[in-house]
Amino acid sequence: MTLLFDRSFRSSALANKYGYNEWLVGRFLQYVPDIERFLQKMEQAPAQYIRINTLKTSRNELERRLLSKGFELRETVLPEVLQVVRAPMTAGATNEYLLGYYYIQDLSSCIAVDALDAHEGQLILDMAAAPGGKTTHIAQRMQNTGSIVALEPNPKRLRSMSFNLDRLGVANTCILNTSALSATGLGKFDRVLLDAPCSCEGVIAKDKTRKTSHSPEDVDYCASRQELLLDAAIGFCKSGGIIVYSTCSFAPEENEAIVDRAIRKFGVSIEPILYGTEALSRFGDNEYEKNVQNARRFYPHIDNTTGFFIARIRMPISS
Ligand code: SAM
């Protein structure tokens, strides 16, 4: 009782101080470590990262060009991703950007592709693809070989996607303007990426309207759509293949609960990821399968990324 009262008092005070809906801060208090530092970090512009497009250039060549323009860059855990520490102009306004030598992309988003472990010659499905940040990263990991099928129902987002594929020199991708829930006859894939549509809580630092714009009902709506999408992903993946499920939400209902349900329903397992913070073992009255903790949460104040969740899901081997 005292604990609940303390939490409610604290969430109200923090929500007022930082301009959030109280219900959202009340939830963060239950699972975000070091909440005040987290809320302070969300007030600051997020770190900026660029992903070097090795289909068109090398890291040495791009670093040489950007350093000569006055950029200051810092290496990250992935060799093809650099943090932009100082930029004399917007990173999207250089010749190198227009030439497709890099893509502006958060480190957490690149770690999702790293977890997919794509190889040359494979057949890969990107189920929710636009504007193509992860599709183009997968293509470079595959050296433009094999095939990627990229699905996207929103025609407006497709335009920027085809522009990005073109700019980055991607030549192994077929885009289908369809919902992943109605796509049929595609066959089975070695790897499936489901970068699911979500409530976007993780990008509050970029879009402050997210502090107050969504409700618990929106989280429930996203979660029910994510369940359907992950069921479809499992149907698209070969026996023993890998599915990466990711969101830019902090909500356990959109993350751990979705993966937990897939373990119980389909016997999939969750494999470790090298970076990020261990996923939750429980939320509210729900205790998740132990394996769920192999998934990873990415927090702005801990990982210096936007908020993100990644689960690397291994399909069972069918006999
Ligand atoms: N993977 C993209 C990237 O890295 O650039 C970002 C994807 S964004 C998080 C989610 C996308 O899912 C949106 O473009 C949205 O239009 C799309 N989407 C929504 N419902 C979908 C569905 N039923 N099937 C496939 N994609 C869907």
Side-chain angles (χ1 to χ4, degrees):
M1 188 66 179
T2 316
L3 186 69
L4 276 180
F5 179 75
D6 283 352
R7 193 192 294 152
S8 153
F9 181 75
R10 204 153 173 238
S11 58
S12 159
L14 289 170
N16 279 335
K17 181 170 174 187
Y18 291 99
Y20 283 75
N21 277 344
E22 197 179 325
W23 71 272
L24 188 56
V25 176
R27 286 163 54 88
F28 288 162
L29 272 168
Q30 295 172 61
Y31 52 80
V32 176
D34 200 353
I35 182 88
E36 186 107 32
R37 201 159 66 81
F38 165 79
L39 293 171
Q40 279 164 6
K41 180 76 177 175
M42 296 296 246
E43 295 303 298
Q44 299 162 14
Q48 188 176 52
Y49 297 93
I50 57 172
R51 189 227 330 142
I52 302 154
N53 178 21
T54 52
L55 292 176
K56 286 202 164 180
T57 190
S58 65
R59 175 167 161 174
N60 282 348
E61 171 64 8
L62 184 65
E63 276 184 321
R64 191 187 60 71
R65 282 172 169 261
L66 293 182
L67 295 183
S68 74
K69 289 191 154 80
F71 279 81
E72 198 181 315
L73 305 166
R74 183 180 295 152
E75 61 180 34
T76 69
V77 293
L78 297 183
E80 71 269 49
V81 182
L82 297 171
Q83 184 182 348
V84 179
V85 180
R86 204 181 78 80
M89 61 192 84
T90 39
T94 66
N95 282 343
E96 288 73 14
Y97 178 82
L98 293 174
L99 288 165
Y101 288 2
Y102 62 89
Y103 191 93
I104 301 167
Q105 187 169 15
D106 194 70
L107 176 62
S108 58
S109 162
C110 298
I111 291 173
V113 170
D114 187 60
L116 193 64
D117 191 28
H119 292 284
E120 288 180 39
Q122 285 184 325
L123 189 55
I124 301 199
L125 179 67
D126 187 352
M127 283 179 67
K134 295 181 192 64
T135 319
T136 52
H137 191 187
I138 297 168
Q140 88 179 55
R141 286 286 182 104
M142 297 169 81
Q143 312 269 24
N144 245 344
T145 68
S147 296
I148 304 173
V149 177
L151 311 181
E152 173 57 53
N154 183 331
K156 278 196 193 138
R157 290 175 68 88
L158 269 188
R159 272 197 285 280
S160 49
M161 167 129 193
S162 55
F163 171 76
N164 283 329
L165 261 59
D166 195 36
R167 183 173 67 83
L168 276 81
V170 170
N172 67 345
T173 299
C174 154
I175 308 174
L176 300 181
N177 183 199
T178 182
S179 161
L181 298 176
S182 49
T184 52
L186 297 178
K188 298 269 187 184
F189 295 82
D190 300 295
R191 301 281 186 268
V192 177
L193 174 66
L194 173 53
D195 186 34
C198 69
S199 64
C200 298
E201 289 175 1
V203 298
I204 286 171
K206 279 191 202 156
D207 177 4
K208 299 286 190 288
T209 64
R210 303 269 170 196
K211 289 178 176 183
T212 51
S213 63
H214 73 295
S215 65
E217 290 72 33
D218 295 324
V219 172
D220 291 344
Y221 169 75
C222 289
S224 47
R225 185 165 54 163
Q226 288 151 352
E227 284 182 3
L228 294 175
L229 285 165
L230 187 52
D231 285 2
I234 287 167
F236 284 128
C237 195
K238 287 182 186 171
S239 156
I242 296 173
I243 300 166
V244 166
Y245 174 79
S246 58
T247 73
C248 58
S249 171
F250 297 113
E253 296 91 333
E254 299 183 64
N255 296 324
E256 286 87 349
I258 301 295
V259 171
D260 179 69
R261 177 179 168 277
I263 296 173
R264 293 172 200 265
K265 187 170 173 189
F266 299 101
V268 296
S269 55
I270 313 305
E271 296 189 336
I273 290 171
L274 290 174
Y275 318 105
T277 305
E278 195 170 85
L280 304 180
S281 58
R282 60 177 308 130
F283 178 62
D285 294 335
N286 299 315
E287 192 162 330
Y288 304 125
E289 290 281 326
K290 200 166 183 327
N291 206 216
V292 169
Q293 282 180 274
N294 278 340
R296 286 290 176 268
R297 293 182 151 251
F298 290 82
Y299 290 113
H301 62 311
I302 297 173
D303 303 291
N304 205 19
T305 64
T306 53
F308 216 66
F309 175 87
I310 306 174
R312 173 178 153 126
I313 302 172
R314 176 74 68 174
M315 289 288 287
I317 309 273
S318 54
S319 44

